[in-house]
Amino acid sequence: MTAVEQSLPAKEQQPKTIYLKDYQVPGYLIKTTDLRFEIYEGETIVSAMLHLYRNPAASTPATQLTLHGADLELISIALDGKVLTGSDYEFGEESLTIFNTPAEFKLLSITKIKPESNTSLEGLYRSRTMYCTQCEAEGFRKITYYLDRPDVMSEFTTTVVADKKYPVLLSNGNLIDQGDAENNRHYATWHDPFKKPAYLFALVAGDLAHIEDKFTTCSKREVTLKIFVEPKDLDKCDHAMTSLKNSLRWDEEVYGREYDLNIFMIVAVDDFNMGAMENKGLNIFNTSCVLAKPETTTDGGFQRVEGVVAHEYFHNWSGNRVTCRDWFQLSLKEGFTVYRDSEFSADMGSRTVKRVEDVTLLRTLQFAEDAGPMAHPIRPESYIEISNFYTMTIYEKGAEIIRMLATLLGKENFRKGTDLYFERHDGQAVTTEDFVAALSDASGRDLTQFKRWYSQAGTPRLQVSDHYDEDAQEYSLTIKQSCPPTPECQQKLPFHIPVAIGLLGSAGDLPLYLKDAEPDFETGDNTHKVLELTAAEQTFVFQRVQEKPVPSLLRGFSAPVKLHYDYSRDDLIVLMSRDSDGFNRWEASQQLGLQAIHRAMEAYQRGEDFAALQLDVDLVAAYRSVLQDDSLDKAMVAYMLSLPSEAYLSELADLVDVEAIHYSRTAIRKMIARELRDDFARIYRAYDHAQPYAATADAIAARSLKNVALGYLMVLVDETVVRACEQQYRAANNMTDVIAALTQLVNAEAPLAQQLAEVALADFYQRWQHESLVVNQWISVQATCVLPNTLAKVKTLQTHAAYDGKNPNKIRALVASFCNGNAINFHADAGAGYQFLADQIIVLNTQNPQIASRLLTPLTKWKKYSPDRQRLMKTELERIMATPGLSKDVFEVVSKSLV
Ligand code: TRP
Ligand code: ZN
């Protein structure tokens, strides 16, 4: 027996795996659901009246009913008014089975729950001063006995009764009644006319303030919009409201989707496992994804609020009106909705910038996931705990799959397809197959092969080679595709991949005359083409090519693949300087950066001094011309001048050399800073710090470029720069500039910087201690400090008054920032970081399994490190595995990682 096997619980106690192939329609459906919540200090009584009836679609008529239920205390249960006794039903592990059930009946259950001691933040729980719910994916079963599966859709009526110290009582739909109750209590009754699965249920009770606005829909209906927050946060709601109104309008204009209730509410909650939740008519948000004002929120924060508000709103159609049949279909709503919110953000700001940001996220985190032990297709075949599948793959890769469909169909056909999908499946719980079928039916395109993207995991690799025949004036591109094996699938069939391309000649983009195809002068100037790769290897021949071109491949990152083409440094400089595709200009800058860093890494690994390295003069000249090009979007300049992250460098490596990556990247940064010092200084000086803050794309871009310049200047150990940085920290009128300056001071080694950093950190806390979200940024800056001794500081911060080990945002700011965003320290000191993380996970395993499981990610990558580190990381995984009472969440990730 191996250590792993020994530590596994006995087979029969092991959590069981759920398979897609085992899907069966429910035996019963629920016509109406009437809920009554009596909230008291310490306990809540839930009465649920369910009108059940046999599902006509079931193959045999059901004669018993198994309801889901977890952590519930059953007080009584009655069927059609007759109280049931012990012999009428039986408890299972997380279920209640009632025997001899008729064709149609009413079931009234009364249960007791304890929101105050619910630390999992699933079901009904208490966050600071309010009560709130989180039901997706399977949290409703912690509220009452129910058919807690998304293909059971019911019409909900909800009454909430509570003490008047909770003046605001909310649930889904429209308010239909309210009034006083005994003992200084009151009630509110809400009715949601739209059938919905239980995961979209929500309830809130609290002493909340709100802002209110109106929106007139395309059919001239007036909708009331409300955002509820704790009174202290009322000054931070405007940006979310603007984003919400923009989202309602955009979905009407771009997808023809109108909002369907008279009221739309958002509630901000401080303790929340994820970003936000799309409950029908009553979205519940992590405060971090609603609250924003310039003094407290960075530009990234503003953009996140806009994106998440849009995302949750868009779910009203992609998720709520048309929902998922089962949780294997999660990407049906999430991938599509991420695609929708990403296009929305592109339309609100800069399209190319948004693309660069999305691709960066995908290539660092999703590619890593797809290459690790938790790799899964966007429609998984099996899971142990569904909460573990709210992943980068389901969301971000899922969105890429939809983007490819949009590319292949073209704008018009894609819209026809989504119209058909919404019309055909309104009010239904459906599958990803149904989605693709609607697109295929509306466009007439055969998407059979394309569907492999739904069932095959792993990141495909494209190997591109080319040949120019000067005599024939022909240029050919040969593309080979392959996909590495993943846990569930060893042999992959070829994917259907849209490869957008252009060819660069000496005077710009060349016209494209693809052999056996029509030139495209209709939708463009015939310099851009989407090649459709369907075979394992394919050659595309271009005619009338008068010079050897530089190919601009995978424009706009048209598919989630790893592209390999042997670009010379000169090719890349050409692409970076004048590709008409903005994304590929950035991509070329990243490839150039990678080449430089990889050369430095080789030197480091040979034990050579970085002093012997030199930056190529042409590269420096290309960077400089980007910096001096006023026609470029400043945000793009900022991204082009930023080197690939350590996380991306690690993802690219087969074996991660933590030190080589960190020190080589730092060395290249220093060389760039030295070469371009004057340009950076000019940009920094030209920026007017006194200008009023605006969260517009242009203003955000200017700040980001200026702060990138500051970052480069700060590596040059120059007292005037350090002073200027400190001046920025003190004088800035917005959190973006404050945090940028603070981050630079904290990470600068020079004694003066360290001294000023200490003063600034103390000042910052003093100033912002009452703003929880601002304190989180203060914690994060410290947890990601690359200087030595950070782990000790992280441990000290855990005991700081500002820290709360039960609040997910605090845990993310401290523990997750350190373990995911500080490789050089996390991997240092003979496994001290690993041990620290495992300690946190073991505590959180009982407290909040979802968060515990999410924190595991860096340890699951153990196979990518040196043998020493592998051993140390594995030891910690085994220690977690041996913990008694392991949650399904943690069990699944650890056991799959140890295989
Ligand atoms: N559906 C939510 C979204 O918009 C995700 C979500 C919110 C979630 N809270 C959750 C998923 C809790 C699992 C558990 O993407
Ligand atoms: Zn979502």
Side-chain angles (χ1 to χ4, degrees), residues 134 136-137 272 274 276-278 311-312 315 333-334 390 395 850:
Q134 171 54 41
E136 187 176 5
F272 204 73
M274 307 269 283
M277 180 62 213
E278 69 264 25
H311 179 97
E312 305 312 330
H315 269 314
K333 73 176 177 83
E334 295 305 346
Y390 287 74
Y395 278 68
Q850 287 183 11

Side-chain angles (χ1 to χ4, degrees), residues 572-643:
L572 291 172
I573 289 176
V574 166
L575 289 169
M576 169 165 146
S577 313
R578 52 186 181 80
D579 195 337
S580 62
D581 184 68
F583 177 86
N584 269 5
R585 289 186 76 169
W586 170 77
E587 174 63 5
S589 77
Q590 298 302 289
Q591 292 299 328
L592 285 164
L594 276 177
Q595 286 185 352
I597 295 168
H598 282 147
R599 266 199 308 279
M601 283 171 68
E602 283 157 21
Y604 181 90
Q605 285 161 339
R606 285 193 302 265
E608 293 168 18
D609 196 344
F610 287 131
L613 282 174
Q614 266 210 316
L615 271 190
D616 197 282
V617 284
D618 294 337
L619 176 61
V620 173
Y623 278 153
R624 181 170 290 124
S625 71
V626 165
L627 277 174
Q628 295 177 349
D629 185 346
D630 287 333
S631 72
L632 279 170
D633 180 342
K634 288 195 167 66
M636 287 310 296
V637 177
Y639 282 131
M640 286 167 84
L641 265 294
S642 299
L643 292 171

Side-chain angles (χ1 to χ4, degrees), residues 888-899:
K888 282 201 270 179
D889 310 60
V890 173
F891 171 82
E892 177 168 38
V893 177
V894 178
S895 60
K896 289 180 175 173
S897 301
L898 283 170
V899 171

Side-chain angles (χ1 to χ4, degrees), residues 759-773:
V759 176
L761 282 169
D763 168 80
F764 189 104
Y765 183 70
Q766 193 54 37
R767 171 134 189 234
W768 295 111
Q769 54 185 311
H770 303 299
E771 291 280 4
S772 181
L773 295 174

Side-chain angles (χ1 to χ4, degrees), residues 279 378 700:
N279 318 298
I378 65 161
I700 290 172

Side-chain angles (χ1 to χ4, degrees), residues 1 56 178 198 288 360 366 388 404 495 569 661 811 828 833 847 852:
M1 233 188 220
Q178 59 183 327
S288 72
T360 300
Q366 197 280 324
N388 285 330
M404 286 192 287
F495 291 90
R569 201 213 45 209
I661 287 176
I811 300 167
Q847 212 179 82

